[in-house]
Amino acid sequence: MKKIFETNSPEETMAIGEAMGRAAAPGEIVCLNGDLGTGKTVFTKGFAKGLEIEDHVVSPTFTIVQEYHSGRLPMYHFDVYRIDDIDEMNEIGYEEYFFGDGVTLIEWSTLIAELIPTRVKKVLIEKAPELGDDYRRITITEPDF
Ligand code: ADP
Ligand code: MG
């Protein structure tokens, strides 16, 4: 199933993330892709809100993964942009996150494509310069369970 949304502000993108977070189930994996600065982290902040996470969500760029435990379900937020070697994923024990009871969000998941299970939700965020700086097209693809 594929849905396309168009937003014109970070708040609108957050609201889409929030709705997805509200509906999130244990074990869910959400792959976030799109160029730098398109709104993957903004979307994740909304998602965290939907999970009722109270902590401030920060980009985990230098730690690869950031865990949040104050919400309805644990949330594991990966950003693998700076990974040089897939072994770094093994070192942090990614399987415990991906196949656990929390919800995993992965920014730049295509960089670790070989580790991504087949049944995941995919969020692609794209700009369209001719439609303004704040325009984003968000394509959400969900597996048919
Ligand atoms: P990424 O994680 O994809 O690198 P961020 O979420 O960190 O990107 O940053 C997105 C930036 O784009 C933020 O500065 C945000 O304010 C801005 N922005 C402008 N319009 C939008 C929009 N429609 N949706 C999301 N972010 C937007
Ligand atoms: Mg980011």
Side-chain angles (χ1 to χ4, degrees):
M1 190 183 54
K2 193 174 186 171
K3 289 182 239 164
I4 297 175
F5 299 90
E6 293 177 297
T7 70
N8 285 287
S9 71
E11 291 75 22
E12 285 177 59
T13 295
M14 272 187 79
I16 294 166
E18 184 177 348
M20 201 175 191
R22 225 180 292 124
E28 187 165 306
I29 297 177
V30 180
C31 293
L32 295 149
N33 290 287
D35 292 342
L36 261 185
T38 48
K40 299 179 294 299
T41 300
V42 165
F43 186 97
T44 303
K45 285 176 200 246
F47 195 102
K49 200 172 163 203
L51 282 172
E52 293 153 52
I53 289 169
E54 283 153 19
D55 318 83
H56 183 62
V57 172
V58 293
S59 192
T61 302
F62 297 100
T63 50
I64 301 178
V65 61
Q66 200 75 245
E67 302 184 25
Y68 299 92
H69 293 277
S70 66
R72 182 170 64 78
L73 295 169
M75 183 179 100
Y76 311 125
H77 180 202
F78 285 75
D79 183 336
V80 300
Y81 185 61
R82 278 164 212 277
I83 258 184
D84 330 287
D85 192 318
I86 213 93
D87 244 12
E88 288 179 46
M89 288 298 285
N90 294 319
E91 281 159 26
I92 61 169
Y94 78 93
E95 289 176 302
E96 299 277 328
Y97 296 104
F98 285 21
F99 306 112
D101 288 333
V103 177
T104 301
L105 286 89
I106 312 162
E107 294 192 34
W108 295 101
S109 73
T110 55
L111 298 177
I112 56 161
E114 59 264 58
L115 303 183
I116 305 295
T118 44
R119 291 182 165 201
V120 297
K121 294 188 179 180
K122 293 179 188 156
V123 178
L124 174 66
I125 312 183
E126 296 165 295
K127 292 192 190 183
E130 69 279 13
L131 297 176
D133 282 352
D134 293 346
Y135 172 87
R136 302 290 188 272
R137 183 170 57 240
I138 303 175
T139 307
I140 300 182
T141 314
E142 301 194 1
D144 305 306
F145 286 104

